[in-house]
Amino acid sequence: MTTLLTTSDVANIVALQGPRKVFTDLLDYVLADFLRWQEFDKCARVASHSATGVIELMPTADNELYSFKFVNGHPDNPQAGLSTVMAFGALAHVSTGEPLLISELTLTTALRTAVTSALAARALARPDSRSMALIGNGAQAEFQALAFHYVLGIDTLHVYDVDPDATRKLESNLATVAPSLRIVRFDSTAQAVKGVDIITTVTADKAYATILTADMVEPGMHINALGGDCPGKTELHADVLRMGPVFVEYEPQTRIEGDLQQMPADFAVTELWRVLTGQNGGRPSPDAVTIFDSVGFALEDFSALRWLRDSAARHGIGAQIEVAPQLQDPKNLFNVVRTARNGQSALVQG
């Protein structure tokens, strides 16, 4: 049988564990898999683009488990009452192909994206970083804020969004779950990023946008760029990328989808796993500008699905469903149809 987790199930896991434990535990799962990076099959995600958005498939596997995520990105969806990003995924045994888990990944993607951001910033930002500007206050914003609050100790958040309602939503939600996090609202990106330690950009428009320019960046800052995550979608001016070392998840994918798509093929970047394993030192000096050009990678979803599997088992959450047939004789699949007893579904001679 296969465990099925709905969005409500995942929300209940978060509620039972509490946000601090969720972010710190999930970070441990993601870190553990980054540390064994070379054990994974890796490829850039398969994308189907349209005029309104993109639908993508993100697979990966190690020697024991296979996972995939189906995910979309449609910026105009909220006008139709739908989330900009929706996702589901699966975890299966490599040895048999048996599906172990099918889960929603919309909420979970927000969790794992925030955790990956915090993991990268812990390795790349100045250790004394305590303030962050959050540019883009939509569906991902609370998760980013909480991950940085719990993992890095960020205590002051500068916020800006072109939609004032998004900022009000963010303020209201964070006041409930993280009252000690100081939130300061600004009227522009330039005002919000002034004097902070970390800048996180997480905007949704599928466009060659310039959210952050070089004149806004100060020595010692760490930039966590999330919104440039598909071809034709950017947030950083190219001059920002030239200001300091650029770190990515999986270089072949980021060159297609990230802010890196603006740069020539020989523009140097470093994959994050090299920093986490100590092969690269990361931040070269306290005054250096570091940039994490994050587009999301399948390994992070693999980690999240492992965390969901273990959390669901620990809390007794999820339904058991028959995705693969349970057969007395594995070679007699037709018997499932022949012996069906639901109304007129049994095969009879007509």
Side-chain angles (χ1 to χ4, degrees), residues 16 25 50 61 65 85-86 100 132 134 142 202 210 218 229 235 246 250-251 282 294 302 333 343 350:
L16 285 167
D25 283 2
S50 68
L65 296 170
V85 175
M86 295 176 284
L100 300 172
M132 181 170 80
L134 188 53
E142 289 89 347
V202 57
T210 303
E218 301 170 13
D229 60 357
E235 293 181 314
V246 176
Y250 180 55
E251 182 178 348
S294 176
F302 178 98
L333 178 61

PDB file of all heavy atoms in Angstrom, residues 16 25 50 61 65 85-86 100 132 134 142 202 210 218 229 235 246 250-251 282 294 302 333 343 350:
ATOM      1  N   LEU A  16       1.702  19.907  14.549  1.00  0.00           N
ATOM      2  CA  LEU A  16       2.110  19.002  15.623  1.00  0.00           C
ATOM      3  C   LEU A  16       3.569  19.221  16.035  1.00  0.00           C
ATOM      4  O   LEU A  16       3.908  19.152  17.218  1.00  0.00           O
ATOM      5  CB  LEU A  16       1.920  17.551  15.183  1.00  0.00           C
ATOM      6  CG  LEU A  16       0.473  17.043  15.153  1.00  0.00           C
ATOM      7  CD1 LEU A  16       0.398  15.712  14.412  1.00  0.00           C
ATOM      8  CD2 LEU A  16      -0.066  16.874  16.570  1.00  0.00           C
ATOM      9  N   ASP A  25      14.474  20.590  11.487  1.00  0.00           N
ATOM     10  CA  ASP A  25      14.549  19.175  11.123  1.00  0.00           C
ATOM     11  C   ASP A  25      14.633  18.994   9.611  1.00  0.00           C
ATOM     12  O   ASP A  25      15.434  18.189   9.114  1.00  0.00           O
ATOM     13  CB  ASP A  25      13.333  18.413  11.666  1.00  0.00           C
ATOM     14  CG  ASP A  25      13.436  18.132  13.150  1.00  0.00           C
ATOM     15  OD1 ASP A  25      14.436  18.569  13.766  1.00  0.00           O
ATOM     16  OD2 ASP A  25      12.522  17.498  13.699  1.00  0.00           O
ATOM     17  N   SER A  50       4.191  27.712 -21.627  1.00  0.00           N
ATOM     18  CA  SER A  50       3.071  28.273 -22.374  1.00  0.00           C
ATOM     19  C   SER A  50       3.076  29.780 -22.193  1.00  0.00           C
ATOM     20  O   SER A  50       3.918  30.330 -21.474  1.00  0.00           O
ATOM     21  CB  SER A  50       1.736  27.700 -21.859  1.00  0.00           C
ATOM     22  OG  SER A  50       1.485  28.167 -20.531  1.00  0.00           O
ATOM     23  N   ALA A  61      17.150  10.375  -8.044  1.00  0.00           N
ATOM     24  CA  ALA A  61      17.188   9.102  -7.316  1.00  0.00           C
ATOM     25  C   ALA A  61      18.581   8.859  -6.769  1.00  0.00           C
ATOM     26  O   ALA A  61      19.580   9.323  -7.329  1.00  0.00           O
ATOM     27  CB  ALA A  61      16.799   7.947  -8.244  1.00  0.00           C
ATOM     28  N   LEU A  65      16.079   5.116  -3.262  1.00  0.00           N
ATOM     29  CA  LEU A  65      14.797   5.786  -3.442  1.00  0.00           C
ATOM     30  C   LEU A  65      14.788   6.627  -4.710  1.00  0.00           C
ATOM     31  O   LEU A  65      15.797   7.234  -5.074  1.00  0.00           O
ATOM     32  CB  LEU A  65      14.497   6.684  -2.238  1.00  0.00           C
ATOM     33  CG  LEU A  65      14.304   5.994  -0.896  1.00  0.00           C
ATOM     34  CD1 LEU A  65      14.250   7.020   0.225  1.00  0.00           C
ATOM     35  CD2 LEU A  65      13.041   5.128  -0.899  1.00  0.00           C
ATOM     36  N   VAL A  85       1.769  28.615  -7.623  1.00  0.00           N
ATOM     37  CA  VAL A  85       2.512  27.357  -7.669  1.00  0.00           C
ATOM     38  C   VAL A  85       1.676  26.259  -7.029  1.00  0.00           C
ATOM     39  O   VAL A  85       1.152  26.430  -5.927  1.00  0.00           O
ATOM     40  CB  VAL A  85       3.861  27.484  -6.938  1.00  0.00           C
ATOM     41  CG1 VAL A  85       4.571  26.138  -6.872  1.00  0.00           C
ATOM     42  CG2 VAL A  85       4.739  28.520  -7.608  1.00  0.00           C
ATOM     43  N   MET A  86       1.538  25.140  -7.721  1.00  0.00           N
ATOM     44  CA  MET A  86       0.875  23.951  -7.175  1.00  0.00           C
ATOM     45  C   MET A  86       1.744  22.746  -7.509  1.00  0.00           C
ATOM     46  O   MET A  86       2.347  22.685  -8.578  1.00  0.00           O
ATOM     47  CB  MET A  86      -0.526  23.781  -7.766  1.00  0.00           C
ATOM     48  CG  MET A  86      -1.484  24.898  -7.393  1.00  0.00           C
ATOM     49  SD  MET A  86      -3.113  24.748  -8.176  1.00  0.00           S
ATOM     50  CE  MET A  86      -2.727  25.271  -9.858  1.00  0.00           C
ATOM     51  N   LEU A 100       5.930   4.337  -2.447  1.00  0.00           N
ATOM     52  CA  LEU A 100       5.814   4.385  -0.994  1.00  0.00           C
ATOM     53  C   LEU A 100       4.934   5.531  -0.526  1.00  0.00           C
ATOM     54  O   LEU A 100       4.218   5.413   0.460  1.00  0.00           O
ATOM     55  CB  LEU A 100       7.201   4.550  -0.374  1.00  0.00           C
ATOM     56  CG  LEU A 100       8.230   3.474  -0.662  1.00  0.00           C
ATOM     57  CD1 LEU A 100       9.589   3.898  -0.138  1.00  0.00           C
ATOM     58  CD2 LEU A 100       7.788   2.176  -0.030  1.00  0.00           C
ATOM     59  N   MET A 132      17.199  41.318   7.393  1.00  0.00           N
ATOM     60  CA  MET A 132      16.965  40.863   6.030  1.00  0.00           C
ATOM     61  C   MET A 132      15.880  41.695   5.377  1.00  0.00           C
ATOM     62  O   MET A 132      14.868  42.033   6.014  1.00  0.00           O
ATOM     63  CB  MET A 132      16.568  39.384   6.003  1.00  0.00           C
ATOM     64  CG  MET A 132      16.323  38.835   4.593  1.00  0.00           C
ATOM     65  SD  MET A 132      16.138  37.028   4.560  1.00  0.00           S
ATOM     66  CE  MET A 132      14.425  36.870   5.097  1.00  0.00           C
ATOM     67  N   LEU A 134      13.018  41.539   2.536  1.00  0.00           N
ATOM     68  CA  LEU A 134      12.223  40.548   1.825  1.00  0.00           C
ATOM     69  C   LEU A 134      11.439  41.270   0.737  1.00  0.00           C
ATOM     70  O   LEU A 134      10.456  41.965   1.023  1.00  0.00           O
ATOM     71  CB  LEU A 134      11.299  39.838   2.800  1.00  0.00           C
ATOM     72  CG  LEU A 134      10.503  38.633   2.306  1.00  0.00           C
ATOM     73  CD1 LEU A 134      11.414  37.595   1.655  1.00  0.00           C
ATOM     74  CD2 LEU A 134       9.741  38.004   3.464  1.00  0.00           C
ATOM     75  N   GLU A 142       6.268  34.259   4.058  1.00  0.00           N
ATOM     76  CA  GLU A 142       6.275  33.879   5.475  1.00  0.00           C
ATOM     77  C   GLU A 142       7.270  32.761   5.749  1.00  0.00           C
ATOM     78  O   GLU A 142       7.958  32.762   6.782  1.00  0.00           O
ATOM     79  CB  GLU A 142       4.875  33.431   5.914  1.00  0.00           C
ATOM     80  CG  GLU A 142       3.856  34.554   6.005  1.00  0.00           C
ATOM     81  CD  GLU A 142       3.133  34.799   4.702  1.00  0.00           C
ATOM     82  OE1 GLU A 142       3.585  34.266   3.668  1.00  0.00           O
ATOM     83  OE2 GLU A 142       2.134  35.529   4.701  1.00  0.00           O
ATOM     84  N   VAL A 202      11.888  37.359  -3.958  1.00  0.00           N
ATOM     85  CA  VAL A 202      11.018  36.231  -4.280  1.00  0.00           C
ATOM     86  C   VAL A 202       9.744  36.776  -4.925  1.00  0.00           C
ATOM     87  O   VAL A 202       8.680  36.812  -4.331  1.00  0.00           O
ATOM     88  CB  VAL A 202      10.750  35.358  -3.030  1.00  0.00           C
ATOM     89  CG1 VAL A 202      10.146  36.164  -1.887  1.00  0.00           C
ATOM     90  CG2 VAL A 202       9.916  34.144  -3.373  1.00  0.00           C
ATOM     91  N   THR A 210      13.947  43.577 -13.397  1.00  0.00           N
ATOM     92  CA  THR A 210      15.146  44.029 -12.683  1.00  0.00           C
ATOM     93  C   THR A 210      14.696  44.540 -11.332  1.00  0.00           C
ATOM     94  O   THR A 210      14.324  45.701 -11.176  1.00  0.00           O
ATOM     95  CB  THR A 210      15.882  45.128 -13.463  1.00  0.00           C
ATOM     96  OG1 THR A 210      16.206  44.638 -14.771  1.00  0.00           O
ATOM     97  CG2 THR A 210      17.163  45.518 -12.748  1.00  0.00           C
ATOM     98  N   GLU A 218      25.291  46.687  -0.958  1.00  0.00           N
ATOM     99  CA  GLU A 218      26.361  47.213  -0.119  1.00  0.00           C
ATOM    100  C   GLU A 218      27.368  46.121   0.216  1.00  0.00           C
ATOM    101  O   GLU A 218      27.041  44.924   0.200  1.00  0.00           O
ATOM    102  CB  GLU A 218      25.762  47.779   1.175  1.00  0.00           C
ATOM    103  CG  GLU A 218      24.746  48.897   0.934  1.00  0.00           C
ATOM    104  CD  GLU A 218      23.993  49.268   2.200  1.00  0.00           C
ATOM    105  OE1 GLU A 218      24.420  48.845   3.301  1.00  0.00           O
ATOM    106  OE2 GLU A 218      22.957  49.962   2.092  1.00  0.00           O
ATOM    107  N   ASP A 229      13.403  31.852 -11.877  1.00  0.00           N
ATOM    108  CA  ASP A 229      13.437  30.391 -11.787  1.00  0.00           C
ATOM    109  C   ASP A 229      12.904  29.687 -13.022  1.00  0.00           C
ATOM    110  O   ASP A 229      12.532  28.525 -12.970  1.00  0.00           O
ATOM    111  CB  ASP A 229      12.668  29.923 -10.545  1.00  0.00           C
ATOM    112  CG  ASP A 229      11.213  30.355 -10.562  1.00  0.00           C
ATOM    113  OD1 ASP A 229      10.796  31.057 -11.501  1.00  0.00           O
ATOM    114  OD2 ASP A 229      10.479  29.991  -9.617  1.00  0.00           O
ATOM    115  N   GLU A 235      15.408  38.516 -11.836  1.00  0.00           N
ATOM    116  CA  GLU A 235      15.192  39.550 -10.820  1.00  0.00           C
ATOM    117  C   GLU A 235      16.405  40.462 -10.657  1.00  0.00           C
ATOM    118  O   GLU A 235      16.252  41.608 -10.241  1.00  0.00           O
ATOM    119  CB  GLU A 235      14.913  38.901  -9.460  1.00  0.00           C
ATOM    120  CG  GLU A 235      13.616  38.145  -9.359  1.00  0.00           C
ATOM    121  CD  GLU A 235      13.416  37.560  -7.970  1.00  0.00           C
ATOM    122  OE1 GLU A 235      14.373  36.964  -7.432  1.00  0.00           O
ATOM    123  OE2 GLU A 235      12.319  37.707  -7.426  1.00  0.00           O
ATOM    124  N   VAL A 246      29.067  33.771  -7.213  1.00  0.00           N
ATOM    125  CA  VAL A 246      27.692  33.316  -7.391  1.00  0.00           C
ATOM    126  C   VAL A 246      27.643  31.818  -7.106  1.00  0.00           C
ATOM    127  O   VAL A 246      28.468  31.041  -7.627  1.00  0.00           O
ATOM    128  CB  VAL A 246      27.185  33.603  -8.815  1.00  0.00           C
ATOM    129  CG1 VAL A 246      25.783  33.022  -9.022  1.00  0.00           C
ATOM    130  CG2 VAL A 246      27.173  35.112  -9.078  1.00  0.00           C
ATOM    131  N   TYR A 250      22.324  23.390  -9.008  1.00  0.00           N
ATOM    132  CA  TYR A 250      22.783  22.489 -10.067  1.00  0.00           C
ATOM    133  C   TYR A 250      23.038  23.338 -11.300  1.00  0.00           C
ATOM    134  O   TYR A 250      22.104  23.842 -11.934  1.00  0.00           O
ATOM    135  CB  TYR A 250      21.720  21.424 -10.325  1.00  0.00           C
ATOM    136  CG  TYR A 250      22.065  20.420 -11.388  1.00  0.00           C
ATOM    137  CD1 TYR A 250      23.236  19.678 -11.329  1.00  0.00           C
ATOM    138  CD2 TYR A 250      21.196  20.180 -12.447  1.00  0.00           C
ATOM    139  CE1 TYR A 250      23.548  18.738 -12.301  1.00  0.00           C
ATOM    140  CE2 TYR A 250      21.494  19.244 -13.416  1.00  0.00           C
ATOM    141  CZ  TYR A 250      22.669  18.526 -13.342  1.00  0.00           C
ATOM    142  OH  TYR A 250      22.976  17.593 -14.305  1.00  0.00           O
ATOM    143  N   GLU A 251      24.313  23.533 -11.622  1.00  0.00           N
ATOM    144  CA  GLU A 251      24.698  24.517 -12.634  1.00  0.00           C
ATOM    145  C   GLU A 251      23.993  24.347 -13.977  1.00  0.00           C
ATOM    146  O   GLU A 251      23.505  25.352 -14.542  1.00  0.00           O
ATOM    147  CB  GLU A 251      26.212  24.503 -12.827  1.00  0.00           C
ATOM    148  CG  GLU A 251      26.698  25.539 -13.819  1.00  0.00           C
ATOM    149  CD  GLU A 251      28.214  25.548 -13.951  1.00  0.00           C
ATOM    150  OE1 GLU A 251      28.912  24.930 -13.123  1.00  0.00           O
ATOM    151  OE2 GLU A 251      28.694  26.184 -14.918  1.00  0.00           O
ATOM    152  N   GLY A 282      33.392  29.319   0.208  1.00  0.00           N
ATOM    153  CA  GLY A 282      32.216  30.169   0.257  1.00  0.00           C
ATOM    154  C   GLY A 282      32.564  31.634   0.273  1.00  0.00           C
ATOM    155  O   GLY A 282      33.223  32.141  -0.647  1.00  0.00           O
ATOM    156  N   SER A 294      19.096  30.827  -6.733  1.00  0.00           N
ATOM    157  CA  SER A 294      18.375  29.589  -6.434  1.00  0.00           C
ATOM    158  C   SER A 294      17.174  29.420  -7.362  1.00  0.00           C
ATOM    159  O   SER A 294      16.362  30.333  -7.503  1.00  0.00           O
ATOM    160  CB  SER A 294      17.914  29.607  -4.979  1.00  0.00           C
ATOM    161  OG  SER A 294      17.130  28.470  -4.690  1.00  0.00           O
ATOM    162  N   PHE A 302      13.357  15.523  -2.989  1.00  0.00           N
ATOM    163  CA  PHE A 302      13.691  14.187  -2.487  1.00  0.00           C
ATOM    164  C   PHE A 302      13.834  14.227  -0.970  1.00  0.00           C
ATOM    165  O   PHE A 302      13.267  13.395  -0.244  1.00  0.00           O
ATOM    166  CB  PHE A 302      14.997  13.735  -3.156  1.00  0.00           C
ATOM    167  CG  PHE A 302      15.514  12.397  -2.730  1.00  0.00           C
ATOM    168  CD1 PHE A 302      15.264  11.270  -3.494  1.00  0.00           C
ATOM    169  CD2 PHE A 302      16.295  12.262  -1.581  1.00  0.00           C
ATOM    170  CE1 PHE A 302      15.770  10.022  -3.117  1.00  0.00           C
ATOM    171  CE2 PHE A 302      16.797  11.020  -1.196  1.00  0.00           C
ATOM    172  CZ  PHE A 302      16.525   9.890  -1.962  1.00  0.00           C
ATOM    173  N   LEU A 333      -2.794  -9.928 -13.615  1.00  0.00           N
ATOM    174  CA  LEU A 333      -3.394  -8.600 -13.461  1.00  0.00           C
ATOM    175  C   LEU A 333      -4.848  -8.589 -13.918  1.00  0.00           C
ATOM    176  O   LEU A 333      -5.690  -7.895 -13.341  1.00  0.00           O
ATOM    177  CB  LEU A 333      -2.578  -7.571 -14.245  1.00  0.00           C
ATOM    178  CG  LEU A 333      -3.094  -6.133 -14.244  1.00  0.00           C
ATOM    179  CD1 LEU A 333      -3.124  -5.574 -12.827  1.00  0.00           C
ATOM    180  CD2 LEU A 333      -2.237  -5.241 -15.142  1.00  0.00           C
ATOM    181  N   GLY A 343     -21.054  -2.748  -8.806  1.00  0.00           N
ATOM    182  CA  GLY A 343     -22.096  -2.526  -9.799  1.00  0.00           C
ATOM    183  C   GLY A 343     -21.951  -3.467 -10.955  1.00  0.00           C
ATOM    184  O   GLY A 343     -21.902  -4.681 -10.798  1.00  0.00           O
ATOM    185  N   GLY A 350     -21.254 -10.007 -23.312  1.00  0.00           N
ATOM    186  CA  GLY A 350     -22.348  -9.164 -23.784  1.00  0.00           C
ATOM    187  C   GLY A 350     -22.938  -9.667 -25.072  1.00  0.00           C
ATOM    188  O   GLY A 350     -22.434 -10.564 -25.700  1.00  0.00           O
TER     189      GLY A 350
END
